[in-house]
């Protein structure tokens, strides 16, 4: 399981149905929160610079890149998990 030091907070942007099928907690032990892209775009994410660094993840990596732009403009140290959950699963299975 991925667990960077210090542990990064993961933001899961995936739809509820995808989260139900494969919860992020089944892949990593990092703390995580569920937010929508709309919440992030509207500044209703509740994150501050004190929460960083955060890693934003979605299914394939497209929406997370957009979310990172909004979070950074709000002063949050954020990065996207390139390739999303699909890439994460590939990386974990390669170990």
């Amino acid at each position: 399981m991925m667990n960077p030091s210090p542990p990064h907070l993961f933001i899961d942007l995936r739809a509820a149905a995808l989260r139900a099928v494969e919860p992020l907690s089944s892949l990593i032990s990092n703390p995580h929160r569920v937010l929508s892209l709309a919440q992030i775009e509207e500044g209703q994410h509740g994150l501050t610079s004190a929460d960083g660094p955060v890693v934003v993840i979605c299914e394939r990596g497209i929406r997370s890149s957009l979310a990172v732009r909004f979070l950074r403009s709000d002063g949050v140290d954020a990065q996207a998990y390139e390739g999303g959950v699909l890439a994460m699963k590939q990386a974990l299975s390669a170990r």
Side-chain angles (χ1 to χ4, degrees):
M1 289 193 170
M2 182 181 199
N3 198 357
S5 184
H8 289 65
L9 171 65
F10 274 72
I11 305 301
D12 191 347
L13 292 182
R14 295 176 300 153
L18 292 173
R19 292 191 319 269
V21 169
E22 189 158 48
L24 203 52
S25 61
S26 71
L27 299 171
I28 58 172
S29 60
N30 297 71
H32 63 279
R33 288 171 59 184
V34 174
L35 290 171
S36 69
L37 182 55
Q39 287 173 301
I40 291 172
E41 286 176 330
E42 296 165 10
Q44 298 175 346
H45 48 75
L47 297 168
T48 68
S49 59
D51 294 307
V54 300
V55 178
V56 184
I57 192 164
C58 61
E59 188 62 15
R60 292 185 179 88
I62 309 286
R63 290 180 300 123
S64 59
S65 296
L66 181 58
V68 163
R69 290 186 203 166
F70 285 103
L71 289 171
R72 286 180 179 167
S73 71
D74 289 343
V76 178
D77 178 8
Q79 64 184 24
Y81 194 100
E82 191 173 321
V85 170
L86 297 175
M88 177 184 280
K89 289 186 335 187
Q90 289 177 340
L92 291 172
S93 69
R95 290 183 176 187

